[in-house]
Amino acid sequence: MSIKVKGAALEILISYLHDRRARTTVEGECSEYVSIEAGVPQGSRLGPLLFIIYINDLILGLESLPLIYADDTTLISSETDTHSTTRVLNRDLTRISSWANKWKVKFNASKSCDLIFSEKTLNNSLPILLDQSIISRVGNHKHLGVNLTCNLNWDLHINNIVKQANIKLSVIHGVSLLDRHTLDLLYKMNIRSRIDYCLQVDPP
C-alpha cells in the first residue's frame, strides 16, 4: 500500500502470492508440500520487481551511502579514519539486521566482505559485524563484474578482461572461415561486449 498499488492491480498481486507451496524432487521421489510464507517466486518475470519493492525501504535511515542492484547490497562510508567509517557501517548493519528480522530476510555474513579503499596500508581498523559475525576483510573484490582493489589500481580488472577476450578470440579463430558478417557479430557479442562493460570514456 505504501507504493500506492491498489484496486485490481493489488488484487492480482495478492492472488499471485497467496497460498504458494513448494516441494523437492530427487530421482523421481517427491517430498511433502511445504507452505511458503515469505519471499517472492524465483525464476518468474514478476520476481525481480516484487523483490525490489519488498526491500525498497531497507535503505531508509542509513548513515552510509547504500547501493542496491537486485539482491546485491553495498554500503559505502567515507571518513578521515577507518574507526569513524567502522562505527557508521556497524550502526547501519545493526539497522539492516533489525529490518531483516522483521521482514524475514536473511543476509549472509560469510558471503559479504569488507574492502577499505586507501593509498595507505591500514591494519588497525576495527572489524565490521553483521549479526555478531565478523565480515571478512579483503584486498580486492569482484563486484557486479568489476574487479575492485583496495588502492583502486585497475591492473587486475584490465588483465582479467584481456584474459577473457583472448579466450573468446581463440574460439573465434577456430571458426575464422565463416563470413565476415557472422564473425563481426561473434566479435561484438563475445569480445567487445566484455571490453565495453562498465567502461567509462571521457569525450575528446
Side-chain angles (χ1 to χ4, degrees):
M1 299 296 291
S2 63
I3 59 171
K4 311 303 181 184
V5 177
K6 55 186 178 180
L10 179 60
E11 293 297 327
I12 290 173
L13 289 177
I14 291 174
S15 175
Y16 179 66
L17 296 172
H18 179 67
D19 195 27
R20 290 186 297 117
R21 299 182 300 162
R23 67 177 180 179
T24 301
T25 301
V26 179
E27 296 181 355
E29 297 294 326
C30 300
S31 67
E32 296 292 329
Y33 278 105
V34 176
S35 295
I36 300 176
E37 304 294 338
V40 296
Q42 293 187 358
S44 64
R45 295 193 176 214
L46 280 177
L49 175 61
L50 291 174
F51 182 78
I52 290 172
I53 293 173
Y54 191 66
I55 66 169
N56 191 47
D57 62 343
L58 170 68
I59 64 176
L60 297 180
L62 298 183
E63 300 175 58
S64 58
L65 171 65
L67 302 175
I68 298 180
Y69 181 82
D71 62 345
D72 195 297
T73 304
T74 301
L75 300 180
I76 299 176
S77 179
S78 178
E79 298 286 349
T80 57
D81 64 275
T82 58
H83 293 292
S84 298
T85 57
T86 297
R87 286 193 291 269
V88 168
L89 292 171
N90 278 331
R91 285 196 296 267
D92 280 350
L93 287 173
T94 299
R95 295 184 180 101
I96 287 176
S97 181
S98 297
W99 180 94
N101 290 331
K102 178 180 179 180
W103 297 108
K104 300 180 181 180
V105 176
K106 178 67 175 177
F107 289 93
N108 195 335
S110 65
K111 293 184 178 180
S112 304
C113 67
D114 167 20
L115 178 56
I116 300 174
F117 298 107
S118 176
E119 295 180 347
K120 303 176 182 178
T121 301
L122 303 173
N123 297 319
N124 62 341
S125 178
L126 298 174
I128 293 178
L129 304 174
L130 177 59
D131 289 331
Q132 306 305 315
S133 297
I134 297 177
I135 295 179
S136 299
R137 181 159 296 148
V138 297
N140 62 79
H141 172 62
K142 189 173 184 179
H143 183 67
L144 299 177
V146 178
N147 291 280
L148 302 173
T149 60
C150 58
N151 60 0
L152 290 180
N153 182 295
W154 294 104
D155 288 349
L156 178 63
H157 183 67
I158 293 171
N159 290 336
N160 186 57
I161 291 176
V162 170
K163 180 180 179 180
Q164 292 178 353
N166 282 333
I167 292 173
K168 296 296 183 180
L169 275 172
S170 65
V171 174
I172 293 178
H173 180 73
V175 294
S176 58
L177 295 180
L178 294 174
D179 63 272
R180 179 59 183 266
H181 177 69
T182 302
L183 290 173
D184 187 50
L185 287 176
L186 289 173
Y187 164 75
K188 289 178 179 177
M189 288 189 301
N190 296 285
I191 299 173
R192 198 176 78 180
S193 62
R194 295 180 181 274
I195 297 173
D196 289 345
Y197 178 71
C198 285
L199 177 65
Q200 300 297 320
V201 179
D202 293 329

